[in-house]
Every structure is written in C-alpha cells, then in structure tokens.
C-alpha cells in the first residue's frame, strides 16, 4: 500500500511539472505571436502605403495577448513593448 501511495505521489508531481512546462510553452508561443505581429506592422510601415494602412489600424500591444487565466502572453527576455 505504501508503494502505491509513493507511485501516486510521483505521478502527481510529474503531472504538475508537465502542466507548468505546457503553461510556459503556451506563454512563449503567445509572446512569439506578439513579436511577429509587431514586426509585421513595423515592416509594413516602411512603405508609403503600409504607413497609411498603419494609420487606420490599431497598434499591436502586448496586452492584446492575454491568457484565459489573466496573465499576459508577452513574457520575457527583457524585450519590453517592442
């Protein structure tokens, strides 16, 4: 019985670690999506027509990339609001 309890605890700990890894991967994917969208807007603005198009569309903000649990997707690396 003690061995079964120990196996159960180890399984729960492993599941908890994997949940944290998946959460971090999801946040990183959201951050990467933000950086790509921000870069696309910046590149589009380097042409005359793109500059005009950017005037009529909203800027990409990190707060637009929010997880269902309320945390922002723009996490890391000291990149700030590019």
């Amino acid at each position: 019985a003690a061995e079964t309890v120990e196996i159960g605890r180890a399984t729960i700990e492993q599941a908890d670690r994997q949940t944290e890894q998946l959460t971090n991967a999801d946040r990183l994917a959201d951050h990467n999506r933000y950086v790509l969208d921000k870069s696309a807007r910046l590149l589009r603005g380097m042409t005359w027509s793109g500059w005009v198009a950017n005037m009529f569309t909203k800027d990409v903000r990190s707060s637009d990339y929010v997880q269902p649990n309320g945390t922002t997707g723009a996490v890391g690396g000291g990149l700030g609001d590019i």
Side-chain angles (χ1 to χ4, degrees):
E3 183 181 354
T4 304
V5 170
E6 186 59 35
I7 291 172
R9 284 185 182 149
T11 302
I12 290 172
E13 289 174 6
Q14 182 67 22
D16 189 47
R17 283 191 296 271
Q18 289 175 347
T19 299
E20 185 176 338
Q21 289 173 337
L22 288 172
T23 300
N24 289 337
D26 193 36
R27 292 178 63 201
L28 182 59
D30 286 344
H31 175 69
N32 289 340
R33 191 174 311 112
Y34 161 73
V35 170
L36 286 170
D37 290 348
K38 187 75 172 177
S39 299
R41 181 179 173 82
L42 180 67
L43 289 171
R44 183 178 62 206
M46 291 182 180
T47 65
W48 201 100
S49 60
W51 178 78
V52 171
N54 282 350
M55 287 179 52
F56 293 101
T57 60
K58 68 177 187 164
D59 194 13
V60 177
R61 296 174 301 160
S62 63
S63 61
D64 294 337
Y65 298 82
V66 176
Q67 295 290 322
N69 64 3
T71 60
T72 59
V75 291
L79 297 174
D81 197 22
I82 299 175

